[in-house]
Amino acid sequence: MDFYHLRGLDAYQQACDQAKANPSAFWEAIASQHFQWQKPWRQVVDFDFSTASFRWFDGAQLNITENCIDRHLVDKAQQTALLFEPNDPNEGSQAISYKQLHAEVCKMANVLKSQGVKKGDRVCLYMPMILELAYAVLACARIGAIHSVVFAGFSASALASRINDCGSELLITADGGFRGSKVLDLKSIVDEALTDCPKVSTVLVAKRTNNPITMQPERDLWLAELIEQADSNCPAEPMEAEDPLFILYTSGSTGQPKGMVHSCAGYMVYTAYSFKNVFQYTSGDVYWCTADIGWITGHSYIVYGPLANGATTVMFEGVPSYPDYDRFWQIIEKHGVNQFYTAPTAIRALAKHGGGIDQYDLSSLKVLGTVGEPINEEAWQWYFNKVGGGRCPIVDTWWQTETGGIMISTLAGITDYKPTFATQPLPGIQPALMDDQGPVKGNPAKGKLCFTYPWPSMARTIWGNHQRYIDTYFSDFDQAYFSGDGALRDEQGHYRITGRVDDVVIVSGHNLGTAEIEDAINTHDEIAECAIVGVAHEIKGQALYGFITVAKDAQLDAGEVQQEINQLITERVGAIAKLEWIQLVTDLPKTRSGKIMRRILRKIAEGQRDDFGD
Ligand code: WT7
């Protein structure tokens, strides 16, 4: 039986049954028929929830880039792998074939080697959405270096703490990045960050914007000059199944961001399998995910999942509003995009601005995807009717940085969809809704969203802190992974995600930990205390509302406070974490043990928001 590509409801049902009855046989069938292995595994899965130890395909050897690139050279050498669409529509797009991708990745891999990078070393990437970013990710994987991509919207200090946490000695960046009408001065941010990163000895700089930058001799090197001299062949490093592939940081409800570690074999198998089934990608389709590679969505569903399937995947450098709000529709028409994957925040912004969508031919679209936060009914209907013309199934894909791949989603054209519902787990995924007594049985039900059996692409640990991994995800419930989300299940067993149950706020699809932002605010001399909560926002889904108590003798008014706080947040976390609203208060409500009562603050904030307007 072949469970890799499920083409109908019967196949889906059989896959679910088999995956439950015999998980090892299920995953073994998928792994052995659709991937290239250098050495087979001894055991499909071995796990222990109590120590949070999960091993998939143990004993196997592979290299994910052979699966994402080399094996397609036989029949797809000339097919487009990456389709780059620049920020400026007049610049013209670039189609990179699998053959070219192979050469570019090998060259970049040889550059890394020439700079002394070895298997297991961490390489930090702080780059705009340019082709070099995709090449760099794959080049690391080629030689077994562990990539740690930091989204180029993060500030110098956020970048520095991520570099130091994983101990990378080499960083790849660019002279700048185009984002709408702005030029991001990435190199200056890097220069500032590196004043706090003594271990970094080498910075490779890609050229993109040509804005003036300073190159520090001995440390900074132009990437293009090194690439020019590099060989276009580089053997793929044999990797153990459980060797780390990458680290990606995600914000938690408390403390520093967590470096989630993903490993080679399980991540490859699951991202490929989920991409194929959720989007029902077939040969020749053009697939576009609008995320940035700096987030897990970009890792799994711009780069690895699509390429493992020999797909054509679009990489867009810009933003939906530049030069105008019709940019997405223009790109869909221009490239004949078949599967389109974006976030509710973008959908709401586009619905609001209209953007002349009716003037574009969107008939190529077959599947619409959404990810990042719950999608509201109104946005869903607009997406379905206006963008999809009522013909395209919407796949509302629930997953997390930690899960590596899509866990709950409609399979396009196979299983049914329902507005605001992520619907059903993929075969092989076993969700449970928990309350204090354990799993809630029967339907309908509500509870905390957990998973009671491991899956191949789950994160294996938090870099440098396995205990924190156990405490965060495996301590609330016995024998289960706890996602941090609440959910409900309807009569038919369809899941609807209701949102985070902790202090993580999702703004425009970005996962923000309130602790990190509060830490930044607290560095202000005249601020005594603060608490940040998330409040519903028309476009962003949620936005940040800050309760601030100023020091006794402070002379600030609310306007000044907001400006100065946002400046601090921009410097220390990034502009995406700026506060939408603030309220000066004399005290914060607290429990006896001194814990701020956020539930009460959320209520107050919801009530006040409307009075404040913008
Ligand atoms: C959190 C994970 C995984 C890609 C992007 C976000 C929320 C994600 C959905 C969805 C409702 C969703 C959850 C989750 N979330 N997708 N389809 N419906 N909520 O990754 O930054 O790790 O955030 O995003 O709350 O826990 P992330």
Side-chain angles (χ1 to χ4, degrees):
M1 194 55 202
D2 188 358
F3 299 113
Y4 184 75
H5 184 189
L6 307 167
R7 296 160 206 265
L9 209 47
D10 284 350
Y12 168 80
Q13 204 49 58
Q14 274 176 25
C16 288
D17 296 346
Q18 167 76 1
K20 223 173 230 157
N22 192 344
S24 290
F26 175 77
W27 290 112
E28 179 145 50
I30 288 172
S32 58
Q33 294 174 59
H34 297 276
F35 300 91
Q36 199 171 303
W37 303 88
Q38 294 173 2
K39 206 176 128 192
W41 46 87
R42 285 187 302 270
Q43 195 172 10
V44 176
V45 56
D46 183 24
F47 67 94
D48 180 352
F49 272 109
S50 64
T51 57
S53 159
F54 306 96
R55 303 187 70 82
W56 284 90
F57 309 109
D58 214 6
Q61 283 185 345
L62 74 152
N63 187 293
I64 196 168
T65 68
E66 287 187 329
N67 286 274
C68 288
I69 309 173
D70 301 54
R71 64 168 163 156
H72 306 311
L73 297 179
V74 181
D75 57 342
K76 295 193 170 103
Q78 303 309 330
Q79 188 206 293
T80 301
L82 296 175
L83 188 47
F84 174 73
E85 178 64 29
N87 182 60
D88 177 356
N90 298 318
E91 192 184 304
S93 42
Q94 278 185 69
I96 308 300
S97 68
Y98 273 94
K99 186 157 182 248
Q100 288 169 305
L101 180 63
H102 179 263
E104 295 300 332
V105 169
C106 284
K107 282 193 264 181
M108 185 86 85
N110 283 323
V111 167
L112 292 175
K113 274 185 171 171
S114 74
Q115 296 302 315
V117 178
K118 297 179 307 293
K119 176 176 174 178
D121 290 351
R122 278 78 61 207
V123 172
C124 180
L125 312 181
Y126 185 69
M127 301 175 78
M129 276 288 282
I130 55 178
L131 286 165
E132 284 87 344
L133 171 55
Y135 301 157
V137 161
L138 293 161
C140 288
R142 187 84 176 169
I143 63 170
I146 302 168
H147 57 75
S148 167
V149 185
V150 177
F151 173 61
F154 278 115
S155 68
S157 72
L159 172 61
S161 71
R162 285 161 174 77
I163 292 172
N164 290 332
D165 185 77
C166 71
S168 59
E169 295 171 28
L170 184 141
L171 176 107
I172 310 181
T173 188
D175 57 352
F178 294 120
R179 226 179 133 67
S181 54
K182 286 191 239 145
V183 176
L184 307 177
D185 195 359
L186 298 179
K187 183 58 168 56
S188 299
I189 298 172
V190 165
D191 290 341
E192 192 189 330
L194 293 191
T195 59
D196 287 332
C197 304
K199 277 194 79 182
V200 174
S201 55
T202 311
V203 178
L204 307 182
V205 186
K207 199 171 230 147
R208 176 59 181 145
T209 55
N210 287 311
N211 58 322
I213 59 164
T214 34
M215 294 290 277
Q216 185 169 311
E218 314 281 290
R219 191 194 69 186
D220 302 349
L221 299 164
W222 286 108
L223 187 59
E225 290 173 10
L226 299 168
I227 297 238
E228 213 163 281
Q229 292 154 29
D231 195 278
S232 58
N233 263 306
C234 175
E237 182 76 25
M239 302 295 286
E240 299 297 323
E242 283 297 338
D243 278 340
L245 174 63
F246 65 85
I247 301 168
L248 187 62
Y249 286 86
T250 185
S251 300
S253 48
T254 53
Q256 286 297 303
K258 299 170 289 221
M260 305 312 307
V261 178
H262 283 280
S263 58
C264 294
Y267 178 82
M268 170 182 78
V269 169
Y270 194 79
T271 54
Y273 157 83
S274 52
F275 173 77
K276 185 76 180 169
N277 287 298
V278 169
F279 295 101
Q280 293 288 317
Y281 183 91
T282 50
S283 190
D285 286 348
V286 176
Y287 161 86
W288 179 22
C289 164
T290 68
D292 191 288
I293 291 177
W295 307 112
I296 191 71
T297 310
H299 282 58
S300 301
Y301 299 111
I302 294 178
V303 181
Y304 289 114
L307 295 178
N309 281 287
T312 296
T313 170
V314 176
M315 212 180 140
F316 176 45
E317 182 183 33
V319 293
S321 55
Y322 182 82
D324 230 316
Y325 275 99
D326 60 355
R327 187 68 196 279
F328 275 5
W329 323 133
Q330 213 179 66
I331 296 173
I332 291 170
E333 183 182 86
K334 176 174 172 191
H335 297 300
V337 170
N338 302 111
Q339 291 90 5
F340 178 66
Y341 190 25
T342 194
T345 181
I347 297 166
R348 287 190 294 264
L350 293 169
K352 186 173 175 183
H353 292 278
I357 184 169
D358 297 330
Q359 293 155 36
Y360 293 91
D361 178 5
L362 305 180
S363 61
S364 59
L365 289 171
K366 297 194 279 193
V367 178
L368 300 175
T370 161
V371 63
E373 57 183 310
I375 181 167
N376 51 306
E377 172 95 31
E378 198 185 345
W380 193 99
Q381 294 295 352
W382 185 83
Y383 198 29
F384 184 77
N385 292 308
K386 239 7 211 182
V387 182
R391 348 171 280 286
C392 307
I394 290 184
V395 295
D396 180 351
T397 64
W398 180 90
W399 59 298
Q400 310 177 290
T401 306
E402 294 87 335
T403 69
I406 296 167
M407 303 286 280
I408 305 181
S409 172
T410 294
L411 307 188
I414 309 292
T415 59
D416 55 0
Y417 49 82
K418 176 172 177 180
T420 77
F421 279 72
T423 72
Q424 301 179 79
L426 267 67
I429 301 301
Q430 297 184 24
L433 296 178
M434 303 280 202
D435 66 13
D436 296 341
Q437 272 79 54
V440 184
K441 297 270 191 298
N443 295 332
K446 71 172 197 242
K448 292 178 176 173
L449 181 61
C450 293
F451 296 87
T452 54
Y453 196 86
W455 61 100
S457 66
M458 66 197 297
R460 299 300 194 260
T461 191
I462 292 172
W463 184 261
N465 197 345
H466 193 69
Q467 190 58 47
R468 188 175 178 202
Y469 180 62
I470 298 174
D471 295 344
T472 310
Y473 304 104
F474 300 96
S475 305
D476 292 66
F477 302 99
D478 196 30
Q479 298 293 305
Y481 166 88
F482 173 40
S483 66
D485 281 11
L488 49 85
R489 199 165 53 211
D490 70 5
E491 297 286 355
Q492 287 77 43
H494 290 34
Y495 287 84
R496 177 185 186 166
I497 313 302
T498 48
R500 305 287 309 186
V501 299
D502 57 18
D503 296 329
V504 173
V505 181
I506 302 184
V507 179
S508 297
H510 301 314
N511 201 333
L512 302 174
T514 49
E516 208 186 343
I517 303 167
E518 288 164 5
D519 288 348
I521 297 174
N522 286 329
T523 62
H524 192 296
D525 285 343
E526 294 185 273
I527 284 169
E529 211 180 12
C530 68
I532 307 297
V533 295
V535 177
H537 183 280
E538 192 196 352
I539 303 290
K540 301 176 180 176
Q542 281 187 296
L544 299 172
Y545 191 114
F547 291 89
I548 314 283
T549 64
V550 294
K552 268 208 188 69
D553 43 5
Q555 302 289 317
L556 296 166
D557 66 33
E560 285 168 329
V561 174
Q562 179 148 16
Q563 202 180 2
E564 291 181 19
I565 285 176
N566 279 336
Q567 182 63 29
L568 275 173
I569 294 174
T570 306
E571 282 161 20
R572 287 170 185 263
V573 185
I576 47 174
K578 287 204 268 192
L579 304 189
E580 197 81 24
W581 303 283
I582 70 155
Q583 182 172 358
L584 298 185
V585 293
T586 49
D587 265 312
L588 295 172
K590 294 195 184 139
T591 62
R592 255 166 214 245
S593 62
K595 231 173 167 283
I596 294 171
M597 295 155 93
R598 291 169 188 281
R599 203 171 34 81
I600 293 180
L601 291 178
R602 268 192 285 270
K603 279 240 165 73
I604 299 173
E606 292 280 2
Q608 294 281 21
R609 176 203 52 199
D610 305 326
D611 302 337
F612 282 117
D614 277 332

